Amino acid sequence: MDHYLDPPPASAPQGPVLTFWIGRSPYHWMDQVKRMRSPSAKHSLLPFLTGWLCLLFAAPTFSEEALLNQAIQNYKSGNYNEALTLFDQVPDPDRMAAAVGATRVRIMTGEYREAEHTVRQLLLADPDNETLNRLLAELLRLTGRSDDATAVLEPIVGRRDASVCSLMQFGELLALRGKKAAAEAHLEQAVSYYNRGLVLDAQGAACVAAACRQLNRFQDANSLFREALTLDSEDLDVQVLWGHLFREKYNLAEARRSYQQVLERNARHVPALVGMARSSDGPNARAFLETALDINPRSAPARVVLAGLLMED
């Protein structure tokens, strides 16, 4: 097996920029008011008022979407306190998405108890929600309860419509508990989704890549991480996972490059900081860890790496 994977492309394609428009120009509504003063205004007044009523009713929807998007962008750039404030302000119908976003912020900053409480409250209203169950399983694993995490996902992966990401996550949990044969069966099932053309988005491709990585199919994992980032170049978590793959194959230069690309967009991305520490030596490694632990004092990976550095001293 090769010791090095192909490096990532020099630059990933940028996603589309979404622009919202209301009206034709800043002066369009003033022109309408002027025409209302003319003798023929009475003939055009009704459609004018109707249009404004539609705009007034549509405006809150636009505002809510903008608020959610602003919260997401603050999270992606590492402004975690601001992101939490904005997520908490998002009303229905985007309340669920905002709650999940706030949970992601709390996972990044180590507020695991608060995050778990939020997810469990959401599950009371929607106990079969696959995304919420996957999030709960992730939190349980982060806090050392892999048996409980496995129990949460077991009924999910038993469904005929289980997602490729649930299968991958369940397979990783089984592998962590030493159940190699059962783990490989679920990981292979995840890979089969891709082979049958059932994986069409970036998240799905990244989950299949993670399954291949667990199955020691490193070249396939490399290609799939590249594909996932081609589909969504803004997914920093996938970029970090790609860096982990390079580090496992002893290509530390490419690993650091992957982590650095994340830190250029979000200097407070804890997994990327820990990845840089693992790929660096001496004082540089300790500086990355200090930053990571300042953001998330409960980061187990950061503490493990720091303990290793202290033992070397």
Side-chain angles (χ1 to χ4, degrees), residues 227-245:
E227 180 178 334
L229 285 169
T230 299
L231 291 168
D232 183 3
S233 62
E234 299 296 317
D235 196 324
L236 303 186
D237 295 331
V238 174
Q239 186 76 55
V240 168
L241 290 175
W242 204 7
H244 293 348
L245 183 69

PDB file of all heavy atoms in Angstrom, residues 227-245:
ATOM      1  N   GLU A 227     -14.017  14.550  -3.703  1.00  0.00           N
ATOM      2  CA  GLU A 227     -15.331  14.722  -4.318  1.00  0.00           C
ATOM      3  C   GLU A 227     -16.269  15.528  -3.414  1.00  0.00           C
ATOM      4  O   GLU A 227     -16.996  16.413  -3.884  1.00  0.00           O
ATOM      5  CB  GLU A 227     -15.951  13.352  -4.614  1.00  0.00           C
ATOM      6  CG  GLU A 227     -17.333  13.420  -5.250  1.00  0.00           C
ATOM      7  CD  GLU A 227     -17.896  12.046  -5.576  1.00  0.00           C
ATOM      8  OE1 GLU A 227     -17.098  11.107  -5.781  1.00  0.00           O
ATOM      9  OE2 GLU A 227     -19.132  11.915  -5.626  1.00  0.00           O
ATOM     10  N   ALA A 228     -16.246  15.234  -2.121  1.00  0.00           N
ATOM     11  CA  ALA A 228     -17.123  15.947  -1.184  1.00  0.00           C
ATOM     12  C   ALA A 228     -16.797  17.437  -1.175  1.00  0.00           C
ATOM     13  O   ALA A 228     -17.704  18.285  -1.162  1.00  0.00           O
ATOM     14  CB  ALA A 228     -16.975  15.354   0.213  1.00  0.00           C
ATOM     15  N   LEU A 229     -15.522  17.784  -1.201  1.00  0.00           N
ATOM     16  CA  LEU A 229     -15.137  19.195  -1.170  1.00  0.00           C
ATOM     17  C   LEU A 229     -15.369  19.874  -2.510  1.00  0.00           C
ATOM     18  O   LEU A 229     -15.532  21.096  -2.568  1.00  0.00           O
ATOM     19  CB  LEU A 229     -13.680  19.334  -0.738  1.00  0.00           C
ATOM     20  CG  LEU A 229     -13.462  19.099   0.756  1.00  0.00           C
ATOM     21  CD1 LEU A 229     -11.983  18.988   1.076  1.00  0.00           C
ATOM     22  CD2 LEU A 229     -14.104  20.215   1.568  1.00  0.00           C
ATOM     23  N   THR A 230     -15.396  19.106  -3.572  1.00  0.00           N
ATOM     24  CA  THR A 230     -15.774  19.677  -4.864  1.00  0.00           C
ATOM     25  C   THR A 230     -17.258  20.052  -4.852  1.00  0.00           C
ATOM     26  O   THR A 230     -17.664  21.086  -5.390  1.00  0.00           O
ATOM     27  CB  THR A 230     -15.500  18.673  -6.001  1.00  0.00           C
ATOM     28  OG1 THR A 230     -14.095  18.381  -6.024  1.00  0.00           O
ATOM     29  CG2 THR A 230     -15.907  19.248  -7.351  1.00  0.00           C
ATOM     30  N   LEU A 231     -18.066  19.220  -4.195  1.00  0.00           N
ATOM     31  CA  LEU A 231     -19.497  19.488  -4.096  1.00  0.00           C
ATOM     32  C   LEU A 231     -19.793  20.618  -3.119  1.00  0.00           C
ATOM     33  O   LEU A 231     -20.753  21.369  -3.300  1.00  0.00           O
ATOM     34  CB  LEU A 231     -20.241  18.220  -3.660  1.00  0.00           C
ATOM     35  CG  LEU A 231     -20.281  17.084  -4.683  1.00  0.00           C
ATOM     36  CD1 LEU A 231     -20.786  15.798  -4.040  1.00  0.00           C
ATOM     37  CD2 LEU A 231     -21.157  17.467  -5.875  1.00  0.00           C
ATOM     38  N   ASP A 232     -18.996  20.748  -2.056  1.00  0.00           N
ATOM     39  CA  ASP A 232     -19.208  21.793  -1.059  1.00  0.00           C
ATOM     40  C   ASP A 232     -17.860  22.212  -0.491  1.00  0.00           C
ATOM     41  O   ASP A 232     -17.372  21.635   0.479  1.00  0.00           O
ATOM     42  CB  ASP A 232     -20.135  21.304   0.053  1.00  0.00           C
ATOM     43  CG  ASP A 232     -20.446  22.396   1.073  1.00  0.00           C
ATOM     44  OD1 ASP A 232     -19.982  23.535   0.882  1.00  0.00           O
ATOM     45  OD2 ASP A 232     -21.142  22.102   2.062  1.00  0.00           O
ATOM     46  N   SER A 233     -17.268  23.230  -1.085  1.00  0.00           N
ATOM     47  CA  SER A 233     -15.934  23.664  -0.661  1.00  0.00           C
ATOM     48  C   SER A 233     -15.960  24.404   0.670  1.00  0.00           C
ATOM     49  O   SER A 233     -14.910  24.702   1.240  1.00  0.00           O
ATOM     50  CB  SER A 233     -15.327  24.583  -1.731  1.00  0.00           C
ATOM     51  OG  SER A 233     -16.125  25.758  -1.882  1.00  0.00           O
ATOM     52  N   GLU A 234     -17.165  24.711   1.189  1.00  0.00           N
ATOM     53  CA  GLU A 234     -17.282  25.449   2.445  1.00  0.00           C
ATOM     54  C   GLU A 234     -17.330  24.536   3.670  1.00  0.00           C
ATOM     55  O   GLU A 234     -17.383  25.030   4.796  1.00  0.00           O
ATOM     56  CB  GLU A 234     -18.552  26.308   2.408  1.00  0.00           C
ATOM     57  CG  GLU A 234     -18.573  27.344   1.299  1.00  0.00           C
ATOM     58  CD  GLU A 234     -17.480  28.382   1.453  1.00  0.00           C
ATOM     59  OE1 GLU A 234     -17.279  28.842   2.607  1.00  0.00           O
ATOM     60  OE2 GLU A 234     -16.816  28.706   0.453  1.00  0.00           O
ATOM     61  N   ASP A 235     -17.341  23.230   3.484  1.00  0.00           N
ATOM     62  CA  ASP A 235     -17.466  22.309   4.617  1.00  0.00           C
ATOM     63  C   ASP A 235     -16.102  22.119   5.283  1.00  0.00           C
ATOM     64  O   ASP A 235     -15.284  21.303   4.852  1.00  0.00           O
ATOM     65  CB  ASP A 235     -18.034  20.966   4.156  1.00  0.00           C
ATOM     66  CG  ASP A 235     -18.553  20.129   5.322  1.00  0.00           C
ATOM     67  OD1 ASP A 235     -17.936  20.180   6.404  1.00  0.00           O
ATOM     68  OD2 ASP A 235     -19.560  19.426   5.152  1.00  0.00           O
ATOM     69  N   LEU A 236     -15.869  22.856   6.345  1.00  0.00           N
ATOM     70  CA  LEU A 236     -14.572  22.819   7.016  1.00  0.00           C
ATOM     71  C   LEU A 236     -14.335  21.502   7.735  1.00  0.00           C
ATOM     72  O   LEU A 236     -13.191  21.052   7.853  1.00  0.00           O
ATOM     73  CB  LEU A 236     -14.471  23.983   8.007  1.00  0.00           C
ATOM     74  CG  LEU A 236     -14.660  25.390   7.424  1.00  0.00           C
ATOM     75  CD1 LEU A 236     -14.382  26.443   8.498  1.00  0.00           C
ATOM     76  CD2 LEU A 236     -13.759  25.616   6.223  1.00  0.00           C
ATOM     77  N   ASP A 237     -15.400  20.880   8.223  1.00  0.00           N
ATOM     78  CA  ASP A 237     -15.238  19.611   8.933  1.00  0.00           C
ATOM     79  C   ASP A 237     -14.713  18.517   8.002  1.00  0.00           C
ATOM     80  O   ASP A 237     -13.897  17.684   8.407  1.00  0.00           O
ATOM     81  CB  ASP A 237     -16.568  19.176   9.547  1.00  0.00           C
ATOM     82  CG  ASP A 237     -17.034  20.130  10.634  1.00  0.00           C
ATOM     83  OD1 ASP A 237     -16.167  20.748  11.286  1.00  0.00           O
ATOM     84  OD2 ASP A 237     -18.252  20.284  10.826  1.00  0.00           O
ATOM     85  N   VAL A 238     -15.170  18.522   6.758  1.00  0.00           N
ATOM     86  CA  VAL A 238     -14.676  17.540   5.783  1.00  0.00           C
ATOM     87  C   VAL A 238     -13.205  17.805   5.483  1.00  0.00           C
ATOM     88  O   VAL A 238     -12.399  16.870   5.364  1.00  0.00           O
ATOM     89  CB  VAL A 238     -15.522  17.576   4.498  1.00  0.00           C
ATOM     90  CG1 VAL A 238     -14.916  16.666   3.429  1.00  0.00           C
ATOM     91  CG2 VAL A 238     -16.952  17.143   4.785  1.00  0.00           C
ATOM     92  N   GLN A 239     -12.837  19.078   5.374  1.00  0.00           N
ATOM     93  CA  GLN A 239     -11.433  19.420   5.125  1.00  0.00           C
ATOM     94  C   GLN A 239     -10.543  18.909   6.255  1.00  0.00           C
ATOM     95  O   GLN A 239      -9.429  18.420   6.017  1.00  0.00           O
ATOM     96  CB  GLN A 239     -11.286  20.934   4.989  1.00  0.00           C
ATOM     97  CG  GLN A 239      -9.907  21.397   4.582  1.00  0.00           C
ATOM     98  CD  GLN A 239      -9.631  21.181   3.107  1.00  0.00           C
ATOM     99  OE1 GLN A 239     -10.378  21.626   2.250  1.00  0.00           O
ATOM    100  NE2 GLN A 239      -8.540  20.489   2.798  1.00  0.00           N
ATOM    101  N   VAL A 240     -11.046  18.989   7.491  1.00  0.00           N
ATOM    102  CA  VAL A 240     -10.283  18.482   8.643  1.00  0.00           C
ATOM    103  C   VAL A 240     -10.137  16.962   8.557  1.00  0.00           C
ATOM    104  O   VAL A 240      -9.049  16.411   8.793  1.00  0.00           O
ATOM    105  CB  VAL A 240     -10.966  18.887   9.960  1.00  0.00           C
ATOM    106  CG1 VAL A 240     -10.357  18.126  11.136  1.00  0.00           C
ATOM    107  CG2 VAL A 240     -10.829  20.384  10.192  1.00  0.00           C
ATOM    108  N   LEU A 241     -11.220  16.278   8.217  1.00  0.00           N
ATOM    109  CA  LEU A 241     -11.148  14.819   8.088  1.00  0.00           C
ATOM    110  C   LEU A 241     -10.162  14.406   7.005  1.00  0.00           C
ATOM    111  O   LEU A 241      -9.462  13.396   7.147  1.00  0.00           O
ATOM    112  CB  LEU A 241     -12.539  14.265   7.778  1.00  0.00           C
ATOM    113  CG  LEU A 241     -13.566  14.338   8.921  1.00  0.00           C
ATOM    114  CD1 LEU A 241     -14.927  13.865   8.429  1.00  0.00           C
ATOM    115  CD2 LEU A 241     -13.114  13.515  10.118  1.00  0.00           C
ATOM    116  N   TRP A 242     -10.101  15.180   5.941  1.00  0.00           N
ATOM    117  CA  TRP A 242      -9.130  14.892   4.879  1.00  0.00           C
ATOM    118  C   TRP A 242      -7.713  15.065   5.426  1.00  0.00           C
ATOM    119  O   TRP A 242      -6.814  14.275   5.129  1.00  0.00           O
ATOM    120  CB  TRP A 242      -9.381  15.824   3.698  1.00  0.00           C
ATOM    121  CG  TRP A 242      -8.870  15.293   2.387  1.00  0.00           C
ATOM    122  CD1 TRP A 242      -8.344  14.053   2.135  1.00  0.00           C
ATOM    123  CD2 TRP A 242      -8.850  15.995   1.144  1.00  0.00           C
ATOM    124  NE1 TRP A 242      -8.005  13.940   0.803  1.00  0.00           N
ATOM    125  CE2 TRP A 242      -8.305  15.114   0.177  1.00  0.00           C
ATOM    126  CE3 TRP A 242      -9.245  17.256   0.742  1.00  0.00           C
ATOM    127  CZ2 TRP A 242      -8.144  15.481  -1.153  1.00  0.00           C
ATOM    128  CZ3 TRP A 242      -9.096  17.622  -0.591  1.00  0.00           C
ATOM    129  CH2 TRP A 242      -8.549  16.740  -1.518  1.00  0.00           C
ATOM    130  N   GLY A 243      -7.521  16.088   6.243  1.00  0.00           N
ATOM    131  CA  GLY A 243      -6.215  16.266   6.878  1.00  0.00           C
ATOM    132  C   GLY A 243      -5.850  15.092   7.766  1.00  0.00           C
ATOM    133  O   GLY A 243      -4.697  14.643   7.777  1.00  0.00           O
ATOM    134  N   HIS A 244      -6.831  14.575   8.513  1.00  0.00           N
ATOM    135  CA  HIS A 244      -6.575  13.397   9.354  1.00  0.00           C
ATOM    136  C   HIS A 244      -6.100  12.218   8.508  1.00  0.00           C
ATOM    137  O   HIS A 244      -5.222  11.448   8.918  1.00  0.00           O
ATOM    138  CB  HIS A 244      -7.841  13.000  10.105  1.00  0.00           C
ATOM    139  CG  HIS A 244      -8.285  13.986  11.137  1.00  0.00           C
ATOM    140  ND1 HIS A 244      -7.501  15.031  11.572  1.00  0.00           N
ATOM    141  CD2 HIS A 244      -9.462  14.069  11.840  1.00  0.00           C
ATOM    142  CE1 HIS A 244      -8.159  15.724  12.489  1.00  0.00           C
ATOM    143  NE2 HIS A 244      -9.337  15.162  12.670  1.00  0.00           N
ATOM    144  N   LEU A 245      -6.711  12.064   7.333  1.00  0.00           N
ATOM    145  CA  LEU A 245      -6.329  10.947   6.450  1.00  0.00           C
ATOM    146  C   LEU A 245      -4.876  11.081   6.016  1.00  0.00           C
ATOM    147  O   LEU A 245      -4.114  10.099   6.040  1.00  0.00           O
ATOM    148  CB  LEU A 245      -7.262  10.912   5.233  1.00  0.00           C
ATOM    149  CG  LEU A 245      -7.032   9.763   4.245  1.00  0.00           C
ATOM    150  CD1 LEU A 245      -7.429   8.422   4.861  1.00  0.00           C
ATOM    151  CD2 LEU A 245      -7.827   9.995   2.959  1.00  0.00           C
TER     152      LEU A 245
END
